[in-house]
Amino acid sequence: KAGVTQTPRYLIKTRGQQVTLSCSPISGHRSVSWYQQTPGQGLQFLFEYFSETQRNKGNFPGRFSGRQFSNSRSEMNVSTLELGDSALYLCASSSTPGAGEQFFGPGTRLTVL
Amino acid sequence: GQQLNQSPQSMFIQEGEDVSMNCTSSSIFNTWLWYKQDPGEGPVLLIALYKAGELTSNGRLTAQFGITRKDSFLNISASIPSDVGIYFCAGLTWMDSSYKLIFGSGTRLLVRP
């Protein structure tokens, strides 16, 4: 069974730009969660999507948004990038929302200059 | 808000030694999870614990869900060089049909051959 895939793996943007990250969950998993990982703040939950609906949301500004498609693939968008948005963005899939057994992708390393 | 205190922050041990790390919180969790993250990769689920007092093993790894539901520990026996990485605990709690999954700050493990 293929694991969670994320594209791109690395991205460099400048302040003010926007970025879209993509995540394909494990086949059969319908829940996708997004996390931001930074050295200072650790792993922080952004949001979770299930059946194309946002089911849960963390404490991030509205510049961070996401969506899920009918094939369970998910995208995350960050608008008006700030230097502090530089981080590893991780996607995790699970069979149901709020399942502790989440399977993570390798992440997208975003650098904002 | 809810926080997980994970300790130690880092450990540098000799190959063959046993390792112990733990997470504590002032809040109660329904599920405890332990993940390992290798450099450049996403976290990989090691052990999931669902019941207070539960003791679960996965090879050389053993984890326990504290009886108070506010803590958990992970032991690694007879460490080997490939145990190197960052270990994260995570606590899952359900409230009012919504949930929170909170991660500890991680324990960085280095193993000296």
PDB file of all heavy atoms in Angstrom, chain A residues 9 33 35 37 43 45 48 56 88 90 97-102 104-106, chain B residues 31 33 35 37 40-43 45 48 50 88 92 94 98-101 103:
ATOM      1  N   ARG A   9       8.370  18.632  -2.428  1.00  0.00           N
ATOM      2  CA  ARG A   9       9.112  18.353  -1.195  1.00  0.00           C
ATOM      3  C   ARG A   9       9.797  19.609  -0.664  1.00  0.00           C
ATOM      4  O   ARG A   9       9.972  19.769   0.541  1.00  0.00           O
ATOM      5  CB  ARG A   9      10.180  17.288  -1.453  1.00  0.00           C
ATOM      6  CG  ARG A   9       9.624  15.887  -1.700  1.00  0.00           C
ATOM      7  CD  ARG A   9       8.941  15.299  -0.464  1.00  0.00           C
ATOM      8  NE  ARG A   9       9.760  15.333   0.734  1.00  0.00           N
ATOM      9  CZ  ARG A   9      10.625  14.385   1.082  1.00  0.00           C
ATOM     10  NH1 ARG A   9      10.787  13.321   0.314  1.00  0.00           N
ATOM     11  NH2 ARG A   9      11.306  14.483   2.216  1.00  0.00           N
ATOM     12  N   SER A  33      -5.164  15.479   7.606  1.00  0.00           N
ATOM     13  CA  SER A  33      -4.841  16.571   8.535  1.00  0.00           C
ATOM     14  C   SER A  33      -3.554  17.238   8.100  1.00  0.00           C
ATOM     15  O   SER A  33      -2.677  16.598   7.531  1.00  0.00           O
ATOM     16  CB  SER A  33      -4.652  16.024   9.957  1.00  0.00           C
ATOM     17  OG  SER A  33      -5.826  15.430  10.437  1.00  0.00           O
ATOM     18  N   TYR A  35      -0.284  19.787   9.416  1.00  0.00           N
ATOM     19  CA  TYR A  35       0.454  20.275  10.560  1.00  0.00           C
ATOM     20  C   TYR A  35       1.596  21.166  10.093  1.00  0.00           C
ATOM     21  O   TYR A  35       2.158  20.967   9.019  1.00  0.00           O
ATOM     22  CB  TYR A  35       1.069  19.116  11.363  1.00  0.00           C
ATOM     23  CG  TYR A  35       0.063  18.201  12.007  1.00  0.00           C
ATOM     24  CD1 TYR A  35      -0.517  17.152  11.292  1.00  0.00           C
ATOM     25  CD2 TYR A  35      -0.312  18.383  13.338  1.00  0.00           C
ATOM     26  CE1 TYR A  35      -1.443  16.314  11.884  1.00  0.00           C
ATOM     27  CE2 TYR A  35      -1.244  17.540  13.939  1.00  0.00           C
ATOM     28  CZ  TYR A  35      -1.799  16.511  13.199  1.00  0.00           C
ATOM     29  OH  TYR A  35      -2.708  15.677  13.788  1.00  0.00           O
ATOM     30  N   GLN A  37       5.385  22.280  11.324  1.00  0.00           N
ATOM     31  CA  GLN A  37       6.446  21.921  12.272  1.00  0.00           C
ATOM     32  C   GLN A  37       7.582  22.924  12.166  1.00  0.00           C
ATOM     33  O   GLN A  37       8.168  23.111  11.090  1.00  0.00           O
ATOM     34  CB  GLN A  37       6.970  20.504  12.001  1.00  0.00           C
ATOM     35  CG  GLN A  37       7.963  20.031  13.053  1.00  0.00           C
ATOM     36  CD  GLN A  37       8.409  18.607  12.848  1.00  0.00           C
ATOM     37  OE1 GLN A  37       8.482  18.115  11.721  1.00  0.00           O
ATOM     38  NE2 GLN A  37       8.683  17.913  13.937  1.00  0.00           N
ATOM     39  N   LEU A  43       5.225  20.635  16.593  1.00  0.00           N
ATOM     40  CA  LEU A  43       4.171  20.226  15.655  1.00  0.00           C
ATOM     41  C   LEU A  43       2.859  20.879  16.055  1.00  0.00           C
ATOM     42  O   LEU A  43       2.351  20.655  17.132  1.00  0.00           O
ATOM     43  CB  LEU A  43       3.973  18.705  15.729  1.00  0.00           C
ATOM     44  CG  LEU A  43       4.690  17.866  14.700  1.00  0.00           C
ATOM     45  CD1 LEU A  43       4.792  16.431  15.186  1.00  0.00           C
ATOM     46  CD2 LEU A  43       3.957  17.903  13.378  1.00  0.00           C
ATOM     47  N   PHE A  45      -1.175  21.714  14.915  1.00  0.00           N
ATOM     48  CA  PHE A  45      -2.272  21.292  14.062  1.00  0.00           C
ATOM     49  C   PHE A  45      -2.871  22.489  13.324  1.00  0.00           C
ATOM     50  O   PHE A  45      -3.161  23.515  13.930  1.00  0.00           O
ATOM     51  CB  PHE A  45      -3.331  20.627  14.947  1.00  0.00           C
ATOM     52  CG  PHE A  45      -4.615  20.284  14.261  1.00  0.00           C
ATOM     53  CD1 PHE A  45      -4.671  19.238  13.359  1.00  0.00           C
ATOM     54  CD2 PHE A  45      -5.775  20.992  14.529  1.00  0.00           C
ATOM     55  CE1 PHE A  45      -5.866  18.907  12.734  1.00  0.00           C
ATOM     56  CE2 PHE A  45      -6.970  20.672  13.917  1.00  0.00           C
ATOM     57  CZ  PHE A  45      -7.024  19.626  13.014  1.00  0.00           C
ATOM     58  N   GLU A  48      -8.180  19.727   9.656  1.00  0.00           N
ATOM     59  CA  GLU A  48      -8.446  18.387   9.179  1.00  0.00           C
ATOM     60  C   GLU A  48      -9.650  18.418   8.252  1.00  0.00           C
ATOM     61  O   GLU A  48     -10.629  19.135   8.512  1.00  0.00           O
ATOM     62  CB  GLU A  48      -8.742  17.429  10.337  1.00  0.00           C
ATOM     63  CG  GLU A  48      -9.046  16.013   9.839  1.00  0.00           C
ATOM     64  CD  GLU A  48      -9.456  15.057  10.937  1.00  0.00           C
ATOM     65  OE1 GLU A  48     -10.110  15.482  11.893  1.00  0.00           O
ATOM     66  OE2 GLU A  48      -9.098  13.866  10.822  1.00  0.00           O
ATOM     67  N   ASN A  56     -12.120  20.048  11.626  1.00  0.00           N
ATOM     68  CA  ASN A  56     -11.463  20.555  12.819  1.00  0.00           C
ATOM     69  C   ASN A  56     -10.430  21.584  12.388  1.00  0.00           C
ATOM     70  O   ASN A  56      -9.888  21.495  11.279  1.00  0.00           O
ATOM     71  CB  ASN A  56     -10.785  19.405  13.581  1.00  0.00           C
ATOM     72  CG  ASN A  56     -10.641  19.694  15.063  1.00  0.00           C
ATOM     73  OD1 ASN A  56     -10.902  20.806  15.535  1.00  0.00           O
ATOM     74  ND2 ASN A  56     -10.229  18.702  15.819  1.00  0.00           N
ATOM     75  N   LEU A  88       8.299  23.108   8.080  1.00  0.00           N
ATOM     76  CA  LEU A  88       7.995  21.837   7.422  1.00  0.00           C
ATOM     77  C   LEU A  88       6.487  21.630   7.568  1.00  0.00           C
ATOM     78  O   LEU A  88       5.966  21.636   8.686  1.00  0.00           O
ATOM     79  CB  LEU A  88       8.749  20.688   8.091  1.00  0.00           C
ATOM     80  CG  LEU A  88       8.535  19.297   7.489  1.00  0.00           C
ATOM     81  CD1 LEU A  88       9.136  19.216   6.090  1.00  0.00           C
ATOM     82  CD2 LEU A  88       9.154  18.225   8.389  1.00  0.00           C
ATOM     83  N   LEU A  90       3.447  19.198   7.225  1.00  0.00           N
ATOM     84  CA  LEU A  90       3.192  17.765   7.196  1.00  0.00           C
ATOM     85  C   LEU A  90       1.725  17.485   6.989  1.00  0.00           C
ATOM     86  O   LEU A  90       0.864  18.155   7.556  1.00  0.00           O
ATOM     87  CB  LEU A  90       3.649  17.128   8.519  1.00  0.00           C
ATOM     88  CG  LEU A  90       5.150  17.113   8.773  1.00  0.00           C
ATOM     89  CD1 LEU A  90       5.441  16.941  10.252  1.00  0.00           C
ATOM     90  CD2 LEU A  90       5.808  15.997   7.971  1.00  0.00           C
ATOM     91  N   PRO A  97     -12.013  10.721  11.069  1.00  0.00           N
ATOM     92  CA  PRO A  97     -11.570  11.948  11.737  1.00  0.00           C
ATOM     93  C   PRO A  97     -11.221  11.693  13.191  1.00  0.00           C
ATOM     94  O   PRO A  97     -11.878  10.889  13.866  1.00  0.00           O
ATOM     95  CB  PRO A  97     -12.792  12.870  11.644  1.00  0.00           C
ATOM     96  CG  PRO A  97     -13.651  12.292  10.602  1.00  0.00           C
ATOM     97  CD  PRO A  97     -13.392  10.819  10.589  1.00  0.00           C
ATOM     98  N   GLY A  98     -10.199  12.385  13.643  1.00  0.00           N
ATOM     99  CA  GLY A  98      -9.833  12.276  15.054  1.00  0.00           C
ATOM    100  C   GLY A  98      -9.234  10.939  15.419  1.00  0.00           C
ATOM    101  O   GLY A  98      -9.110  10.631  16.611  1.00  0.00           O
ATOM    102  N   ALA A  99      -8.853  10.163  14.426  1.00  0.00           N
ATOM    103  CA  ALA A  99      -8.209   8.881  14.730  1.00  0.00           C
ATOM    104  C   ALA A  99      -6.782   9.166  15.155  1.00  0.00           C
ATOM    105  O   ALA A  99      -6.050   9.870  14.470  1.00  0.00           O
ATOM    106  CB  ALA A  99      -8.231   7.972  13.509  1.00  0.00           C
ATOM    107  N   GLY A 100      -6.379   8.631  16.279  1.00  0.00           N
ATOM    108  CA  GLY A 100      -5.018   8.869  16.715  1.00  0.00           C
ATOM    109  C   GLY A 100      -4.011   8.269  15.773  1.00  0.00           C
ATOM    110  O   GLY A 100      -2.919   8.791  15.606  1.00  0.00           O
ATOM    111  N   GLU A 101      -4.375   7.175  15.123  1.00  0.00           N
ATOM    112  CA  GLU A 101      -3.415   6.510  14.253  1.00  0.00           C
ATOM    113  C   GLU A 101      -3.360   7.214  12.911  1.00  0.00           C
ATOM    114  O   GLU A 101      -3.990   6.812  11.937  1.00  0.00           O
ATOM    115  CB  GLU A 101      -3.802   5.043  14.093  1.00  0.00           C
ATOM    116  CG  GLU A 101      -3.713   4.280  15.400  1.00  0.00           C
ATOM    117  CD  GLU A 101      -3.879   2.785  15.224  1.00  0.00           C
ATOM    118  OE1 GLU A 101      -3.466   2.260  14.183  1.00  0.00           O
ATOM    119  OE2 GLU A 101      -4.437   2.161  16.131  1.00  0.00           O
ATOM    120  N   GLN A 102      -2.587   8.285  12.898  1.00  0.00           N
ATOM    121  CA  GLN A 102      -2.414   9.056  11.686  1.00  0.00           C
ATOM    122  C   GLN A 102      -1.090   8.674  11.043  1.00  0.00           C
ATOM    123  O   GLN A 102      -0.095   8.436  11.728  1.00  0.00           O
ATOM    124  CB  GLN A 102      -2.416  10.549  12.002  1.00  0.00           C
ATOM    125  CG  GLN A 102      -3.716  11.021  12.619  1.00  0.00           C
ATOM    126  CD  GLN A 102      -3.814  12.525  12.680  1.00  0.00           C
ATOM    127  OE1 GLN A 102      -2.833  13.233  12.513  1.00  0.00           O
ATOM    128  NE2 GLN A 102      -5.005  13.028  12.926  1.00  0.00           N
ATOM    129  N   PHE A 104       1.817   9.895   8.536  1.00  0.00           N
ATOM    130  CA  PHE A 104       2.350  11.145   8.003  1.00  0.00           C
ATOM    131  C   PHE A 104       3.074  10.964   6.677  1.00  0.00           C
ATOM    132  O   PHE A 104       3.688   9.923   6.420  1.00  0.00           O
ATOM    133  CB  PHE A 104       3.343  11.759   8.998  1.00  0.00           C
ATOM    134  CG  PHE A 104       2.688  12.415  10.181  1.00  0.00           C
ATOM    135  CD1 PHE A 104       2.318  11.665  11.288  1.00  0.00           C
ATOM    136  CD2 PHE A 104       2.449  13.780  10.189  1.00  0.00           C
ATOM    137  CE1 PHE A 104       1.717  12.262  12.388  1.00  0.00           C
ATOM    138  CE2 PHE A 104       1.859  14.392  11.281  1.00  0.00           C
ATOM    139  CZ  PHE A 104       1.482  13.629  12.366  1.00  0.00           C
ATOM    140  N   GLY A 105       3.013  12.003   5.864  1.00  0.00           N
ATOM    141  CA  GLY A 105       3.829  12.077   4.670  1.00  0.00           C
ATOM    142  C   GLY A 105       5.204  12.628   5.014  1.00  0.00           C
ATOM    143  O   GLY A 105       5.464  12.975   6.181  1.00  0.00           O
ATOM    144  N   PRO A 106       6.091  12.753   4.031  1.00  0.00           N
ATOM    145  CA  PRO A 106       7.449  13.228   4.286  1.00  0.00           C
ATOM    146  C   PRO A 106       7.530  14.732   4.506  1.00  0.00           C
ATOM    147  O   PRO A 106       8.540  15.240   4.985  1.00  0.00           O
ATOM    148  CB  PRO A 106       8.203  12.843   3.014  1.00  0.00           C
ATOM    149  CG  PRO A 106       7.145  12.825   1.956  1.00  0.00           C
ATOM    150  CD  PRO A 106       5.894  12.359   2.630  1.00  0.00           C
TER     151      PRO A 106
ATOM    152  N   THR B  31      -6.380   8.968  24.369  1.00  0.00           N
ATOM    153  CA  THR B  31      -5.433   8.150  23.623  1.00  0.00           C
ATOM    154  C   THR B  31      -4.060   8.776  23.730  1.00  0.00           C
ATOM    155  O   THR B  31      -3.938  10.000  23.686  1.00  0.00           O
ATOM    156  CB  THR B  31      -5.839   8.077  22.124  1.00  0.00           C
ATOM    157  OG1 THR B  31      -7.128   7.486  22.004  1.00  0.00           O
ATOM    158  CG2 THR B  31      -4.831   7.267  21.313  1.00  0.00           C
ATOM    159  N   LEU B  33      -0.139   8.469  21.996  1.00  0.00           N
ATOM    160  CA  LEU B  33       0.564   7.940  20.830  1.00  0.00           C
ATOM    161  C   LEU B  33       2.036   8.303  20.932  1.00  0.00           C
ATOM    162  O   LEU B  33       2.389   9.340  21.495  1.00  0.00           O
ATOM    163  CB  LEU B  33       0.001   8.564  19.552  1.00  0.00           C
ATOM    164  CG  LEU B  33      -1.516   8.405  19.408  1.00  0.00           C
ATOM    165  CD1 LEU B  33      -2.126   9.655  18.850  1.00  0.00           C
ATOM    166  CD2 LEU B  33      -1.832   7.233  18.529  1.00  0.00           C
ATOM    167  N   TYR B  35       5.447   8.637  18.407  1.00  0.00           N
ATOM    168  CA  TYR B  35       5.939   8.702  17.031  1.00  0.00           C
ATOM    169  C   TYR B  35       7.457   8.866  17.052  1.00  0.00           C
ATOM    170  O   TYR B  35       8.022   9.406  17.996  1.00  0.00           O
ATOM    171  CB  TYR B  35       5.362   9.927  16.309  1.00  0.00           C
ATOM    172  CG  TYR B  35       3.910   9.825  15.914  1.00  0.00           C
ATOM    173  CD1 TYR B  35       2.903  10.194  16.791  1.00  0.00           C
ATOM    174  CD2 TYR B  35       3.547   9.388  14.643  1.00  0.00           C
ATOM    175  CE1 TYR B  35       1.571  10.125  16.424  1.00  0.00           C
ATOM    176  CE2 TYR B  35       2.216   9.325  14.259  1.00  0.00           C
ATOM    177  CZ  TYR B  35       1.244   9.693  15.157  1.00  0.00           C
ATOM    178  OH  TYR B  35      -0.073   9.637  14.780  1.00  0.00           O
ATOM    179  N   GLN B  37      10.528  10.431  14.422  1.00  0.00           N
ATOM    180  CA  GLN B  37      10.785  11.187  13.201  1.00  0.00           C
ATOM    181  C   GLN B  37      12.266  11.144  12.869  1.00  0.00           C
ATOM    182  O   GLN B  37      13.111  11.524  13.695  1.00  0.00           O
ATOM    183  CB  GLN B  37      10.313  12.635  13.360  1.00  0.00           C
ATOM    184  CG  GLN B  37      10.406  13.450  12.082  1.00  0.00           C
ATOM    185  CD  GLN B  37       9.763  14.822  12.226  1.00  0.00           C
ATOM    186  OE1 GLN B  37       9.661  15.368  13.322  1.00  0.00           O
ATOM    187  NE2 GLN B  37       9.324  15.402  11.119  1.00  0.00           N
ATOM    188  N   GLY B  40      14.402  14.763   7.810  1.00  0.00           N
ATOM    189  CA  GLY B  40      13.864  14.897   6.465  1.00  0.00           C
ATOM    190  C   GLY B  40      12.628  14.065   6.183  1.00  0.00           C
ATOM    191  O   GLY B  40      12.164  14.011   5.035  1.00  0.00           O
ATOM    192  N   GLU B  41      12.078  13.443   7.216  1.00  0.00           N
ATOM    193  CA  GLU B  41      10.893  12.600   7.023  1.00  0.00           C
ATOM    194  C   GLU B  41       9.781  13.031   7.959  1.00  0.00           C
ATOM    195  O   GLU B  41       9.995  13.794   8.902  1.00  0.00           O
ATOM    196  CB  GLU B  41      11.239  11.138   7.299  1.00  0.00           C
ATOM    197  CG  GLU B  41      12.305  10.563   6.388  1.00  0.00           C
ATOM    198  CD  GLU B  41      11.853  10.501   4.941  1.00  0.00           C
ATOM    199  OE1 GLU B  41      10.641  10.335   4.706  1.00  0.00           O
ATOM    200  OE2 GLU B  41      12.719  10.645   4.044  1.00  0.00           O
ATOM    201  N   GLY B  42       8.578  12.507   7.708  1.00  0.00           N
ATOM    202  CA  GLY B  42       7.478  12.758   8.627  1.00  0.00           C
ATOM    203  C   GLY B  42       7.517  11.772   9.777  1.00  0.00           C
ATOM    204  O   GLY B  42       8.182  10.735   9.704  1.00  0.00           O
ATOM    205  N   PRO B  43       6.813  12.065  10.864  1.00  0.00           N
ATOM    206  CA  PRO B  43       6.767  11.140  12.005  1.00  0.00           C
ATOM    207  C   PRO B  43       6.135   9.805  11.608  1.00  0.00           C
ATOM    208  O   PRO B  43       5.213   9.758  10.801  1.00  0.00           O
ATOM    209  CB  PRO B  43       5.887  11.883  13.011  1.00  0.00           C
ATOM    210  CG  PRO B  43       5.951  13.320  12.616  1.00  0.00           C
ATOM    211  CD  PRO B  43       6.073  13.305  11.123  1.00  0.00           C
ATOM    212  N   LEU B  45       4.295   6.405  13.250  1.00  0.00           N
ATOM    213  CA  LEU B  45       3.643   5.918  14.458  1.00  0.00           C
ATOM    214  C   LEU B  45       4.334   4.658  14.967  1.00  0.00           C
ATOM    215  O   LEU B  45       4.527   3.688  14.222  1.00  0.00           O
ATOM    216  CB  LEU B  45       2.165   5.624  14.172  1.00  0.00           C
ATOM    217  CG  LEU B  45       1.344   5.126  15.351  1.00  0.00           C
ATOM    218  CD1 LEU B  45       1.229   6.200  16.431  1.00  0.00           C
ATOM    219  CD2 LEU B  45      -0.044   4.690  14.894  1.00  0.00           C
ATOM    220  N   ALA B  48       0.337   2.984  19.806  1.00  0.00           N
ATOM    221  CA  ALA B  48      -0.887   3.698  20.171  1.00  0.00           C
ATOM    222  C   ALA B  48      -1.455   3.027  21.421  1.00  0.00           C
ATOM    223  O   ALA B  48      -1.500   1.798  21.519  1.00  0.00           O
ATOM    224  CB  ALA B  48      -1.900   3.651  19.036  1.00  0.00           C
ATOM    225  N   TYR B  50      -4.787   3.071  24.172  1.00  0.00           N
ATOM    226  CA  TYR B  50      -6.183   3.518  24.192  1.00  0.00           C
ATOM    227  C   TYR B  50      -6.844   3.449  25.561  1.00  0.00           C
ATOM    228  O   TYR B  50      -7.976   3.912  25.719  1.00  0.00           O
ATOM    229  CB  TYR B  50      -7.002   2.681  23.211  1.00  0.00           C
ATOM    230  CG  TYR B  50      -6.504   2.804  21.792  1.00  0.00           C
ATOM    231  CD1 TYR B  50      -5.715   1.801  21.220  1.00  0.00           C
ATOM    232  CD2 TYR B  50      -6.799   3.932  21.029  1.00  0.00           C
ATOM    233  CE1 TYR B  50      -5.252   1.926  19.924  1.00  0.00           C
ATOM    234  CE2 TYR B  50      -6.330   4.055  19.730  1.00  0.00           C
ATOM    235  CZ  TYR B  50      -5.561   3.056  19.182  1.00  0.00           C
ATOM    236  OH  TYR B  50      -5.103   3.178  17.896  1.00  0.00           O
ATOM    237  N   PHE B  88       8.309  11.686  19.550  1.00  0.00           N
ATOM    238  CA  PHE B  88       7.236  12.577  19.985  1.00  0.00           C
ATOM    239  C   PHE B  88       6.133  11.771  20.656  1.00  0.00           C
ATOM    240  O   PHE B  88       5.736  10.722  20.165  1.00  0.00           O
ATOM    241  CB  PHE B  88       6.603  13.297  18.793  1.00  0.00           C
ATOM    242  CG  PHE B  88       7.478  14.299  18.124  1.00  0.00           C
ATOM    243  CD1 PHE B  88       8.197  13.959  16.988  1.00  0.00           C
ATOM    244  CD2 PHE B  88       7.571  15.590  18.619  1.00  0.00           C
ATOM    245  CE1 PHE B  88       9.008  14.884  16.353  1.00  0.00           C
ATOM    246  CE2 PHE B  88       8.387  16.518  17.989  1.00  0.00           C
ATOM    247  CZ  PHE B  88       9.105  16.160  16.865  1.00  0.00           C
ATOM    248  N   LEU B  92      -4.499  12.555  22.552  1.00  0.00           N
ATOM    249  CA  LEU B  92      -5.751  12.817  21.833  1.00  0.00           C
ATOM    250  C   LEU B  92      -6.887  12.883  22.838  1.00  0.00           C
ATOM    251  O   LEU B  92      -7.022  12.008  23.697  1.00  0.00           O
ATOM    252  CB  LEU B  92      -6.024  11.701  20.828  1.00  0.00           C
ATOM    253  CG  LEU B  92      -7.336  11.758  20.048  1.00  0.00           C
ATOM    254  CD1 LEU B  92      -7.316  12.895  19.038  1.00  0.00           C
ATOM    255  CD2 LEU B  92      -7.602  10.436  19.346  1.00  0.00           C
ATOM    256  N   TRP B  94     -11.197  13.862  23.129  1.00  0.00           N
ATOM    257  CA  TRP B  94     -12.453  14.181  22.449  1.00  0.00           C
ATOM    258  C   TRP B  94     -13.324  15.003  23.382  1.00  0.00           C
ATOM    259  O   TRP B  94     -13.439  14.717  24.562  1.00  0.00           O
ATOM    260  CB  TRP B  94     -13.203  12.893  22.088  1.00  0.00           C
ATOM    261  CG  TRP B  94     -12.740  12.278  20.822  1.00  0.00           C
ATOM    262  CD1 TRP B  94     -11.750  11.355  20.677  1.00  0.00           C
ATOM    263  CD2 TRP B  94     -13.219  12.537  19.507  1.00  0.00           C
ATOM    264  NE1 TRP B  94     -11.599  11.033  19.359  1.00  0.00           N
ATOM    265  CE2 TRP B  94     -12.494  11.737  18.611  1.00  0.00           C
ATOM    266  CE3 TRP B  94     -14.216  13.373  18.995  1.00  0.00           C
ATOM    267  CZ2 TRP B  94     -12.713  11.733  17.237  1.00  0.00           C
ATOM    268  CZ3 TRP B  94     -14.451  13.371  17.623  1.00  0.00           C
ATOM    269  CH2 TRP B  94     -13.699  12.570  16.762  1.00  0.00           C
ATOM    270  N   SER B  98     -15.841  17.064  18.973  1.00  0.00           N
ATOM    271  CA  SER B  98     -14.628  17.581  18.358  1.00  0.00           C
ATOM    272  C   SER B  98     -13.445  16.990  19.110  1.00  0.00           C
ATOM    273  O   SER B  98     -13.611  16.416  20.183  1.00  0.00           O
ATOM    274  CB  SER B  98     -14.609  19.108  18.440  1.00  0.00           C
ATOM    275  OG  SER B  98     -13.462  19.594  17.788  1.00  0.00           O
ATOM    276  N   TYR B  99     -12.273  17.119  18.556  1.00  0.00           N
ATOM    277  CA  TYR B  99     -11.120  16.502  19.211  1.00  0.00           C
ATOM    278  C   TYR B  99      -9.911  17.414  19.124  1.00  0.00           C
ATOM    279  O   TYR B  99      -9.867  18.350  18.327  1.00  0.00           O
ATOM    280  CB  TYR B  99     -10.793  15.153  18.557  1.00  0.00           C
ATOM    281  CG  TYR B  99     -10.143  15.304  17.194  1.00  0.00           C
ATOM    282  CD1 TYR B  99      -8.755  15.355  17.063  1.00  0.00           C
ATOM    283  CD2 TYR B  99     -10.917  15.412  16.060  1.00  0.00           C
ATOM    284  CE1 TYR B  99      -8.169  15.530  15.830  1.00  0.00           C
ATOM    285  CE2 TYR B  99     -10.326  15.589  14.822  1.00  0.00           C
ATOM    286  CZ  TYR B  99      -8.962  15.642  14.711  1.00  0.00           C
ATOM    287  OH  TYR B  99      -8.384  15.817  13.486  1.00  0.00           O
ATOM    288  N   LYS B 100      -8.935  17.106  19.978  1.00  0.00           N
ATOM    289  CA  LYS B 100      -7.642  17.803  19.920  1.00  0.00           C
ATOM    290  C   LYS B 100      -6.540  16.756  19.968  1.00  0.00           C
ATOM    291  O   LYS B 100      -6.598  15.836  20.788  1.00  0.00           O
ATOM    292  CB  LYS B 100      -7.488  18.740  21.121  1.00  0.00           C
ATOM    293  CG  LYS B 100      -8.075  20.115  20.922  1.00  0.00           C
ATOM    294  CD  LYS B 100      -7.606  21.049  22.001  1.00  0.00           C
ATOM    295  CE  LYS B 100      -8.193  22.435  21.743  1.00  0.00           C
ATOM    296  NZ  LYS B 100      -7.923  23.356  22.818  1.00  0.00           N
ATOM    297  N   LEU B 101      -5.586  16.891  19.103  1.00  0.00           N
ATOM    298  CA  LEU B 101      -4.397  16.041  19.116  1.00  0.00           C
ATOM    299  C   LEU B 101      -3.219  16.964  19.354  1.00  0.00           C
ATOM    300  O   LEU B 101      -2.922  17.819  18.527  1.00  0.00           O
ATOM    301  CB  LEU B 101      -4.247  15.289  17.795  1.00  0.00           C
ATOM    302  CG  LEU B 101      -3.043  14.342  17.679  1.00  0.00           C
ATOM    303  CD1 LEU B 101      -3.142  13.231  18.720  1.00  0.00           C
ATOM    304  CD2 LEU B 101      -2.972  13.742  16.283  1.00  0.00           C
ATOM    305  N   PHE B 103       0.870  17.478  20.428  1.00  0.00           N
ATOM    306  CA  PHE B 103       2.171  16.821  20.408  1.00  0.00           C
ATOM    307  C   PHE B 103       3.092  17.405  21.468  1.00  0.00           C
ATOM    308  O   PHE B 103       3.074  18.615  21.738  1.00  0.00           O
ATOM    309  CB  PHE B 103       2.820  16.992  19.033  1.00  0.00           C
ATOM    310  CG  PHE B 103       2.222  16.102  17.980  1.00  0.00           C
ATOM    311  CD1 PHE B 103       1.049  16.454  17.350  1.00  0.00           C
ATOM    312  CD2 PHE B 103       2.836  14.905  17.649  1.00  0.00           C
ATOM    313  CE1 PHE B 103       0.493  15.624  16.375  1.00  0.00           C
ATOM    314  CE2 PHE B 103       2.295  14.073  16.676  1.00  0.00           C
ATOM    315  CZ  PHE B 103       1.123  14.436  16.042  1.00  0.00           C
TER     316      PHE B 103
END
